[in-house]
Amino acid sequence: MRSAEWHARIECAGQVVGAGFLVTPRKVLTCAHVVHEGPADALTVTFTERPGSAPVPARIVADGGWAGGTTDLGDLAVLELAHEVPVEPAALAPVGAAHGRQPRKLVVYGFPVGFDEGTLAEYRITAPQLLRREWIQLEAWAPDGQPLAPGFSGAAVTLVDTGEVVGMVTAAAGAQGVRNGRMMPTEVMARYWPDLTGLVPTSDHRTADRARLRDLVERAVRAGLDCDPVRLYRAAAGPFDPEPPEEGFDSLRSAALFVLCEIDGEDAAGTVARFTAHVEALFHTPVETSAAPDWSPILVDLQHSGAGDGQVLVEVSAYSGGRRHPVGSDTVPRARLSAYVQDRIEAAFRHLTPGSDELIAFALPRDWIDLPVDRWASAPDDDTPLGCVYPLVVTDQARRRAGTRHQLTRVWNRLDSLPGARVHRVECGGAEEPARLRVRLRKPDACLAGFATAPAAAHTRAHFDTSLTAPAPVVVWSRGGCDNGPEEPCAGGDGCAGKTFLDELDAVVSGVPPAELPRRVLALREEADAEDGHWARDIQLLWDDPRVFTDPHGGTPAHARSPVA
């Protein structure tokens, strides 16, 4: 389970009376029957997973109108703590998350007699049917497991694989040898306490995306990172997403909950991804320093298959903890290429350290270097471009050779001290000879070769090849290139789309350390995706720091299958 600190033990006058769970920094939910008998001014809450923490005084501030009988409805109480506690609140699951084709294992954390420190019980739902529109029946996962008993009342029922809460235990069977009970699901709890509605995420967000956002937010809160939650939300929101509340957000947590709980539909995943990226950016050192991100790359290696133009040899690897983790290798038809890559990238994330700086890198043959991989959909159910969700770069397949990697490593060791990425412009109408360009790109202060035209343009193809073999550590261009077309250069003056591209590029990257460029280009792609005619819509970033690819094969692709298999 992601965290257990939000599990609570409810006490009255020093005696354990049941369980509960923290849903906001000051609110704990439990059953009304747990707290109804003792004196109201003697209630305390203890977070047993924080050893040594003192009981916190609490008072009842809301209830579900429970009448006192075993089968009476509304058995819910909301406790307000005397002060906020430094505990991450429980994460709630979308409505219906406990259901599935296969039974989902549920875990309950309670305090029966003899277990004041808490104990676990494993259960599942018997069926998704609501009994009296109030309860879902629970049955033991295993016949010899821990039965529900007094002390489990008020406990959160959580999904074992995510730790998210799906409901609250309200009753055990009561009969000897019968190992079932009842839970009140979160949608019923929200009926009695409407404030809970704003804490239940929609089902349009993937579990991994919810978990990642919550983890980043809690890390940001613990680190005391300063931010404007409203500004962060506005930067992430799509054109059809709701406006933030008039009163704003009182914390980064509340902004994240708004994203998860109020935004649904086809664009929900994109908004979550953008908001997550903005939260992640809070952790990174300001650009005026030379500290570099600790990239954890996913490398997508594409090659001609040798089995016909319609087939592509694909290998995907993840790099984490100083090791390369092969994820998949296959010969794939061009028509299924993006779908295959989507699936393998998703699998590769399982090998990355949670919270690390992910980087998607495509190693491409020279004649595919302009492939718009950043515009591929990020997931089967999300057409947000991949390059608007993750930092994404390309590199030339030929630069995977050991000698070139050695040269590039030396260059990048030097670039670490540069405060910004100075652009060497290769103008649309420029007359610089390729040999002279090579000399310029091998100077100590050289960093970024910026092209006004795409690599396919006949008048700059030799210059582009030179920049790759120099080797320039960073090359940037627009796939759209100059409006004049690929064969004939224009004068490169005012009105030239290539000149405009280089002018804008120079302005936005001049203060960005080279190691930060993938993240800066991610932000540009997000802007361009939301604005028609943006100069960076077709930006292609060739960024190649061999130090982030700890490949035991020295950078040489090691495909598991024959190209003609």
Side-chain angles (χ1 to χ4, degrees):
M1 297 167 67
R2 274 182 73 242
S3 170
E5 291 191 345
W6 45 261
H7 290 291
R9 185 176 68 202
I10 313 298
E11 297 139 1
C12 187
Q15 298 297 312
V16 178
V17 291
F21 55 103
L22 187 75
V23 291
T24 78
R26 285 190 66 181
K27 295 292 195 308
V28 170
L29 300 186
T30 187
C31 290
H33 79 257
V34 167
V35 296
H36 85 291
E37 288 188 350
D41 59 356
L43 285 174
T44 58
V45 173
T46 300
F47 296 94
T48 57
E49 291 302 301
R50 292 179 64 87
S53 61
V56 182
R59 65 188 182 98
I60 302 171
V61 294
D63 62 56
W66 182 64
T70 304
T71 59
D72 286 336
L73 308 181
D75 191 4
L76 172 74
V78 183
L79 309 185
E80 183 178 72
L81 303 178
H83 56 78
E84 289 190 4
V85 291
V87 173
E88 178 183 351
L92 306 188
V95 172
H99 315 155
R101 293 181 181 176
Q102 298 296 324
R104 299 196 69 177
K105 183 182 286 189
L106 307 174
V107 174
V108 182
Y109 188 111
F111 303 92
V113 174
F115 292 94
D116 285 357
E117 75 285 0
T119 190
L120 299 173
E122 296 179 338
Y123 275 74
R124 62 186 170 194
I125 66 170
T126 303
Q129 178 182 345
L130 274 177
L131 304 175
R132 294 187 64 190
R133 300 184 64 246
E134 184 86 356
W135 306 291
I136 286 180
Q137 182 170 304
L138 297 173
E139 60 182 34
W141 184 264
D144 56 349
Q146 166 68 47
L148 296 179
F152 277 101
S153 293
V157 181
T158 61
L159 297 168
V160 71
D161 53 345
T162 69
E164 294 176 315
V165 176
V166 296
M168 178 181 71
V169 174
T170 57
Q176 184 72 25
V178 179
R179 295 175 181 267
N180 62 20
R182 292 175 179 171
M183 80 167 183
M184 182 185 293
T186 52
E187 65 268 29
V188 176
M189 298 167 71
R191 186 196 309 157
Y192 294 116
W193 187 50
D195 286 2
L196 194 66
T197 303
L199 303 176
V200 179
T202 73
S203 59
D204 296 282
H205 306 301
R206 294 181 299 181
T207 301
D209 295 337
R210 297 196 304 270
R212 176 165 170 72
L213 177 55
R214 285 168 174 150
D215 177 66
L216 283 170
V217 167
E218 291 308 318
R219 284 174 51 204
V221 170
R222 289 194 299 271
L225 299 182
D226 186 36
C227 72
D228 179 348
V230 173
R231 181 188 61 80
L232 225 59
Y233 171 73
R234 288 190 183 280
F240 302 109
D241 290 336
E243 285 291 309
E246 289 186 10
E247 67 276 13
F249 302 114
D250 59 7
S251 66
L252 183 59
R253 276 197 191 108
S254 64
L257 283 170
F258 188 86
V259 170
L260 291 175
C261 304
E262 300 297 330
I263 296 177
D264 54 15
E266 295 180 359
D267 298 329
T271 302
V272 169
R274 291 189 293 272
F275 189 84
T276 301
H278 291 313
V279 175
E280 184 180 25
L282 299 174
F283 292 90
H284 301 304
T285 308
V287 296
E288 56 266 27
T289 73
S290 59
D294 184 16
W295 294 116
S296 291
I298 295 171
L299 178 64
V300 181
D301 194 307
L302 305 183
Q303 291 195 42
H304 297 286
S305 70
D309 292 339
Q311 303 289 320
V312 181
L313 186 60
V314 187
E315 182 181 61
V316 180
S317 304
Y319 293 78
S320 180
R323 296 182 58 194
R324 172 180 173 269
H325 305 272
V327 175
S329 180
D330 210 339
T331 301
V332 180
R334 288 289 293 264
R336 292 201 306 109
L337 181 58
S338 62
Y340 179 86
V341 169
Q342 284 173 359
D343 180 70
R344 294 299 86 196
I345 286 177
E346 183 66 20
F349 271 101
R350 302 190 190 106
H351 297 282
L352 302 190
T353 303
S356 61
D357 296 302
E358 75 272 9
L359 175 72
I360 310 298
F362 281 79
L364 305 172
R366 183 77 54 89
D367 57 338
W368 290 355
I369 204 68
D370 217 23
L371 202 64
V373 290
D374 59 296
R375 302 299 302 175
W376 290 359
S378 57
D381 57 351
D382 180 11
D383 62 0
T384 304
L386 191 62
C388 294
V389 178
Y390 308 112
L392 184 148
V393 302
V394 301
T395 189
D396 178 28
Q397 195 69 255
R399 286 164 51 121
R400 308 297 296 166
R401 292 192 288 262
T404 306
R405 309 312 281 168
H406 179 81
Q407 288 180 288
L408 281 168
T409 299
R410 186 171 62 242
V411 172
W412 275 99
N413 287 338
R414 184 175 71 241
L415 293 182
D416 284 345
S417 63
L418 295 183
R422 190 177 67 84
V423 178
H424 179 77
R425 300 167 65 108
V426 183
E427 303 278 2
C428 186
E432 185 178 34
E433 290 295 324
R436 184 164 182 79
L437 175 63
R438 177 184 297 277
V439 172
R440 291 290 302 270
L441 292 177
R442 293 175 74 91
K443 289 184 177 295
D445 63 339
C447 174
L448 189 158
F451 280 76
T453 58
H459 54 280
T460 56
R461 188 174 299 126
H463 297 76
F464 186 80
D465 289 345
T466 296
S467 70
L468 296 185
T469 58
V474 184
V475 185
V476 181
W477 66 96
S478 170
R479 291 187 299 270
C482 172
D483 291 338
N484 222 43
E487 298 303 322
E488 293 294 330
C490 73
D494 291 339
C496 169
K499 179 181 185 301
T500 299
F501 176 83
L502 290 181
D503 290 343
E504 296 283 359
L505 178 69
D506 208 359
V508 299
V509 305
S510 60
V512 180
E516 287 276 0
L517 284 172
R519 188 174 295 115
R520 184 67 185 94
V521 170
L522 166 65
L524 286 174
R525 285 171 173 151
E526 287 182 295
E527 294 172 15
D529 195 54
E531 180 182 332
D532 290 337
H534 195 284
W535 66 271
R537 178 171 178 79
D538 292 315
I539 192 170
Q540 193 86 324
L541 172 64
L542 188 149
W543 182 98
D544 200 356
D545 183 353
R547 300 171 302 178
V548 305
F549 299 95
T550 51
D551 195 328
H553 300 287
T556 303
H559 292 277
R561 298 183 58 173
S562 162
V564 294

